Amino acid sequence: MIQWPILNGNVINNHFNFIKTLKKSTLVIILISVGMSAQDTIMPLWPKSIPNQHQSNGEEVISKSDDGILWVTNVQEPTLEVYLPSKRNMTGQAVIIFPGGGYAGLAYDWEGTDIAKVLTTKGIAGIVVKYRLPGSKSISEGKHVVPLQDAQRAIRLVRSKSDEWNIDSKKIGIMGFSAGGHLASTLGTHYNESVYKRQDEVDDLSARPDFMALIYPVITLGEPSTHTGSRVSLLGEDAADESVNYLSNEKHVQANTPPTFLLHAMDDGAVPVENSIMFFDALREHNVPTTMHVYPTGGHGFSLALKDQKLKGWIDLFFDWVANLD
């Protein structure tokens, strides 16, 4: 166990760099002090080889933007970072979180660990996925499917730990922001597809989320409503129509797509609100339970929106929704 006295840029870099030096089978418990003690576990996703990846000299980059957001790029070893409420407070629910960043980086705290910590205050386990990004030079093939490989493995791994973490294996949902919302909706519509070779008994478990929360998500890769940056990062400049259609997730909703919570702002200038509307319409067409909240203002990338008097209550709407799922 390592004691970090304060969470700052240097400590975060040390935190991630330390994890990168560990063997993939190692489980690390780190106690981070941020005014109150919060225990998190960081563990690798893949027990053997990482699919579609070769050895390279590339290094993961951790940096802070001018507005203080922790960004992770060039992910080399995908991981889970797990935040668990105290046992007496646990509802049995867990939410696996996919931060956004246009498939070029991960807003790791802003749309990841900050969210996980808030979930624990309501007795919900919050689990952040540091997933691989298609632009990494270590990706050897099939770059468009690499994030989905990590997403499928992540939910299977969480499900395999349900007893150990006091989680109900039938109450494991996902939450994604922006491009992370695209990945979450990809998992929610492509969970039963075989996208990597089995590595252990974990891969025998279901990858279907029990529910989804998509926060200002990229849904379609088609024109005119796609987020061009996400599309280019994932598929390249001249993507084939087949690839675009495969990852335009409004086209793959079925009756067994998980119940979905959608949140968007009408004035989102990066990811048009039509993304959520299209997904809502597809869910409704297939009789999938869904709730959508569209705010008139808020823009894009607002995370918890704690400084926006109108938007800051969205997380409570989510808590009410998830507490009343059948």
Side-chain angles (χ1 to χ4, degrees), residues 261-278:
F261 176 97
L262 289 158
L263 178 75
H264 225 116
M266 287 179 61
D267 66 345
D268 190 327
V271 179
V273 69
E274 282 77 12
N275 281 264
S276 285
I277 293 171
M278 283 189 289

Side-chain angles (χ1 to χ4, degrees), residues 233-253:
S233 293
L234 195 57
L235 298 179
E237 292 283 356
D238 300 311
D241 289 344
E242 181 181 0
S243 297
V244 171
N245 290 333
Y246 174 69
L247 289 173
S248 291
N249 295 323
E250 77 281 4
K251 298 182 178 183
H252 300 284
V253 172

Side-chain angles (χ1 to χ4, degrees), residues 7 9-10 21 30 49 62 77 93 104 129 135 188 254 281-282 294 299 308:
L7 191 63
N10 291 332
T21 65
I30 297 177
S49 60
I62 300 99
E77 295 191 22
Q93 293 172 316
V129 184
Q254 299 178 5
D281 287 343
V294 177
D308 188 314

